[in-house]
Amino acid sequence: MKGVIYALTALAVFGLALWAYQENYRTQQVLGDTQELQHKIGAAQIRLSVLRAEWAYLNRPDRLRELADLNFDRLGLLPLRPDQFGQVDQVVYPAEPELPILNPVDVANLETQQP
């Protein structure tokens, strides 16, 4: 009987060792994937900062003014005048269509109350 217990204990130890070995390699793989992902995130942040700097450079007011002056005739741009602006109360908002109530529910229980 002791031999069977020793054999089962040895098999359990070998099984646990195999499980721990596999988990160790899975953990190492996940750590490697995490580092690779962090490097990609860092590279994307650097690219994003470069794109933001380029956008800021291209949207300089003096540059845009020069482009507008150069292409004034081709674009048909006109200078802004105060009479081109309206008042807020002149804005016409689209009317919202009324939605039909398919299954009305009396939440205040007005129909069940008797005066």
Side-chain angles (χ1 to χ4, degrees):
M1 185 68 179
K2 285 185 179 180
V4 174
I5 293 175
Y6 289 145
L8 289 176
T9 304
L11 284 174
V13 168
F14 286 132
L16 289 173
L18 178 64
W19 172 79
Y21 183 76
Q22 290 175 343
E23 287 300 314
N24 182 27
Y25 274 101
R26 286 186 192 138
T27 303
Q28 295 299 323
Q29 179 66 35
V30 168
L31 288 175
D33 293 345
T34 304
Q35 285 180 347
E36 181 181 340
L37 186 59
Q38 287 176 346
H39 288 296
K40 287 181 180 179
I41 290 171
Q45 287 176 340
I46 291 172
R47 282 194 316 269
L48 183 60
S49 65
V50 168
L51 289 172
R52 284 184 177 152
E54 287 178 357
W55 181 256
Y57 179 75
L58 292 174
N59 281 325
R60 293 183 330 261
D62 56 338
R63 178 183 172 274
L64 294 176
R65 173 69 62 192
E66 288 178 17
L67 287 174
D69 290 342
L70 287 174
N71 297 306
F72 185 79
D73 296 330
R74 188 170 65 93
L75 295 175
L77 299 175
L78 298 173
L80 292 177
R81 297 185 318 259
D83 61 338
Q84 291 175 324
F85 297 97
Q87 300 294 326
V88 174
D89 58 354
Q90 295 174 334
V91 177
V92 178
Y93 294 101
E96 294 183 18
E98 290 188 26
L99 299 175
I101 299 174
L102 301 177
N103 297 322
V105 176
D106 184 21
V107 294
N109 292 326
L110 295 176
E111 292 178 2
T112 59
Q113 293 177 352
Q114 300 285 333

